[in-house]
Amino acid sequence: MGDKSGSNQMWGGRFAGGPSAIMREINASIPFDKALWRQDIAASKAHVDMLGAQGIVLAEDAALIAGGLDQVAAEYEANGVPENWDLEDIHMTTESRLAELIGPAAGRLHTARSRNDQVATDFRLWVRDAMDQAELGLKQLQVALVSRAGEHSGSIMPGFTHLQTAQPVTLGHHLMAYYEMIGRDRSRFADARVRMNRSPLGAAALAGTGFPIDRFRTAEALGFDGPTDNSLDSVSDRDFALDYLMAAAQCSLHLSRLAEEFIIWASQPFGFVTLPDSLSTGSSIMPQKKNPDAAELVRGHSGRIVGCLTALMITMKGLPLAYSKDMQDDKPPVFEAASLLALSIAAMTGMVAEAKFRTDRMRAAAELGYATATDLADWLVRQANIPFREAHHITGSAVKLAESRGIALDQLSIEDLKAIDQRIDDRVYAALSVEASVAARCSHGGTAPDEVRKRVAQARVALGLEESA
Ligand code: ARG
């Protein structure tokens, strides 16, 4: 006869001895799933309220259990969740404490449910909050972007392709590009939230239950739009977590690109921005250094967030219906990604809000590199009716000449320009300034200061910063 003293109190009846030390350790999810305690309590309260209302447990037991759950929650709030590996996870930890507090009635809480629908419900609730938080954080980042873009709708900087000076743009336009990206990220979280907002509670272990439960009631109590429609799918679906991670990964790529802009702009050869002291560090050996560590970590964290997505995708790949214990591994990557993402959003929001843009350096850089060469070509097309390809060629000769003399395009004399093509006259100089160049790009979504101001105004309304005109 085996020693039953170490056997699990929940399913110990079938087992002769306790689990080996390795089994205990590999099985325990409490070290991480204790983060679900609020959701676990909320779902249990919704469940027991329904059990009482349906007459599946007596009303007085239901009330006793609900009161006990409140007490457990108060203890967790005050002292944290105790970590006892023998109790495996948050669900058994809570139920066991409930039993200590209220006695045998606690055993009725688990009627008509399983840890499989329980964890699916808890985790959905957690992920739903994470989606809401991401959405909110990203909105703050958009507010910062829009406010700086409004300040700098007319500040001229070089626009790049291949990181080579291409055409002058406005800093406001550049920042608003990230407003658009972050807007798509917000909508990805919002879309995912709509898709995931169904309650798996009541799917029980995998097949549903014979008890006369009301899944619509528990769904409503937990803020879901309704119950899920297939019990097997309900306990094995982790699409909501993957949707979250996909949105987080995509978002982290955007944050990483924004971080990279700041890293480049803060470098001495560029000198486009002075980073806020609050988000930089010094060097222990080089006293002159101010390092963009926060931005670099945002860039680095995106790698980890994408890794979290990959981890869960691989975990889920090839799992047959319904629940498998592999799925316990769904939580660490989601928790990790969520905290990395929240930090990254906060860091970039601070960076955007507090950076000192060195608009004089930006403007000077925009004057270099023949950024208005396209404007000369466009002028030839418009004023002299020259086909664009030919205009491009003529402009190339002008750039070559200016380059050989080490001067800007608009420093070439009209004689020099006429020598290249006699159709050029001195009205051309008006087109060659960086101001004229950006002002000319007034097509919808273009970089012209007026266009940027228009988009900023729309954004301010969309963000609720202003009433619509
Ligand atoms: N701790 C488990 C998890 O996170 C809860 C579900 C356990 N279900 C089971 N059949 N062993 O997945």
Side-chain angles (χ1 to χ4, degrees):
M1 288 286 101
D3 168 22
K4 285 208 174 194
S5 60
S7 72
N8 190 286
Q9 55 177 315
M10 300 292 165
W11 34 255
R14 195 177 169 281
F15 286 77
S20 74
I22 291 168
M23 186 60 216
R24 266 173 91 239
E25 185 167 354
I26 199 170
N27 208 30
S29 55
I30 188 68
F32 52 85
D33 70 16
K34 63 186 182 180
L36 297 175
W37 74 261
R38 287 173 208 280
Q39 291 75 16
D40 196 63
I41 298 275
S44 284
K45 286 190 72 174
H47 181 66
V48 79
D49 165 76
M50 180 277 293
L51 293 178
Q54 296 294 105
I56 299 168
V57 304
L58 292 176
E60 64 231 50
D61 281 340
L64 189 62
I65 291 168
L69 287 167
D70 285 337
Q71 207 177 326
V72 176
E75 290 180 4
Y76 288 170
E77 186 80 79
N79 312 320
V81 179
E83 240 183 76
N84 176 355
W85 288 359
D86 288 322
L87 295 172
E88 274 189 52
D89 55 26
I90 184 62
H91 323 297
M92 303 223 283
T93 300
T94 299
E95 201 180 319
S96 127
R97 181 64 187 139
L98 182 68
E100 286 169 5
L101 290 171
I102 68 166
R108 299 192 185 277
L109 170 61
H110 213 52
T111 315
R113 79 170 184 190
S114 147
R115 278 188 294 157
N116 296 350
D117 60 336
Q118 196 179 353
V119 73
T121 306
D122 295 358
F123 195 31
R124 258 187 214 239
L125 291 171
W126 196 96
V127 170
R128 193 175 68 185
D129 281 351
M131 287 172 173
D132 290 344
Q133 271 168 34
E135 230 260 322
L136 204 71
L138 290 173
K139 187 173 172 189
Q140 293 316 310
L141 174 53
Q142 282 188 310
V143 168
L145 285 164
V146 162
S147 128
R148 301 311 302 270
E151 254 173 73
H152 291 290
S153 54
S155 306
I156 294 171
M157 64 178 287
F160 302 99
T161 60
H162 315 268
L163 202 53
Q164 306 285 312
T165 297
Q167 294 176 348
V169 296
T170 54
L171 173 57
H173 196 51
H174 197 121
L175 294 172
M176 285 303 281
Y178 283 92
Y179 167 85
E180 304 293 343
M181 292 184 228
I182 299 301
R184 292 193 294 276
D185 293 330
R186 281 183 65 191
S187 78
R188 261 183 283 276
F189 284 112
D191 288 351
R193 191 194 198 285
V194 171
R195 193 159 42 247
M196 67 95 80
N197 201 32
R198 304 280 293 276
S199 172
L201 191 59
L206 75 167
T209 175
F211 290 99
I213 60 171
D214 183 351
R215 294 191 59 209
F216 290 85
R217 184 188 176 104
T218 48
E220 202 190 325
L222 295 170
F224 289 112
D225 297 326
T228 51
D229 295 320
N230 181 298
S231 62
L232 291 167
D233 179 45
S234 304
V235 295
S236 70
D237 169 32
R238 294 295 182 270
D239 290 4
F240 60 94
L242 287 168
D243 272 355
Y244 171 76
L245 288 172
M246 285 187 250
Q250 172 77 76
C251 177
S252 78
L253 301 188
H254 291 152
L255 297 174
S256 169
R257 293 179 69 178
L258 180 58
E260 173 67 2
E261 306 266 18
F262 277 93
I263 292 164
I264 293 172
W265 292 354
S267 68
Q268 281 70 23
F270 270 76
F272 284 6
V273 72
T274 305
L275 295 180
D277 286 349
S278 55
L279 288 164
S280 317
T281 58
S283 158
S284 53
I285 178 165
M286 296 166 283
Q288 87 283 11
K289 295 278 305 268
K290 179 165 166 184
N291 293 329
D293 296 38
E296 290 172 298
L297 285 164
V298 169
R299 192 176 59 183
H301 284 357
S302 67
R304 289 172 64 190
I305 293 172
V306 172
C308 292
L309 168 62
T310 310
L312 185 55
M313 282 185 150
I314 307 292
T315 295
M316 294 308 295
K317 174 189 165 299
L319 288 187
L321 294 178
Y323 177 86
S324 299
K325 197 66 174 246
D326 316 41
M327 289 162 68
Q328 178 163 283
D329 280 343
D330 56 1
K331 289 161 219 75
V334 171
F335 293 163
E336 184 185 359
S339 66
L340 292 174
L341 185 69
L343 263 174
S344 299
I345 294 171
M348 292 320 296
T349 304
M351 194 101 50
V352 169
E354 284 162 39
K356 258 183 46 212
F357 294 109
R358 298 173 65 185
T359 49
D360 52 328
R361 301 256 323 173
M362 291 184 170
R363 194 184 183 292
E367 307 244 330
L368 302 173
Y370 305 100
T372 59
T374 319
D375 296 278
L376 173 54
D378 286 352
W379 186 89
L380 291 167
V381 171
R382 248 183 280 157
Q383 302 301 322
N385 196 27
I386 298 173
F388 182 78
R389 280 293 157 221
E390 194 191 337
H392 184 281
H393 193 78
I394 296 167
T395 304
S397 307
V399 168
K400 202 164 148 197
L401 179 62
E403 207 170 29
S404 73
R405 298 196 189 153
I407 58 175
L409 266 185
D410 60 356
Q411 288 172 313
L412 289 172
S413 70
I414 191 65
E415 289 74 30
D416 286 334
L417 289 169
K418 275 191 179 298
I420 291 165
D421 193 291
Q422 31 83 16
R423 287 167 290 186
I424 303 176
D425 62 55
D426 54 14
R427 289 172 305 166
V428 77
Y429 291 106
L432 292 183
S433 73
V434 288
E435 280 79 12
S437 173
V438 294
R441 298 216 151 58
C442 56
S443 52
H444 177 85
T447 196
D450 282 347
E451 273 302 307
V452 174
R453 281 189 276 273
K454 212 161 77 188
R455 187 66 188 132
V456 165
Q458 290 168 348
R460 292 181 63 82
V461 172
L463 292 168
L465 301 172
E466 243 150 66
E467 305 271 308
S468 66

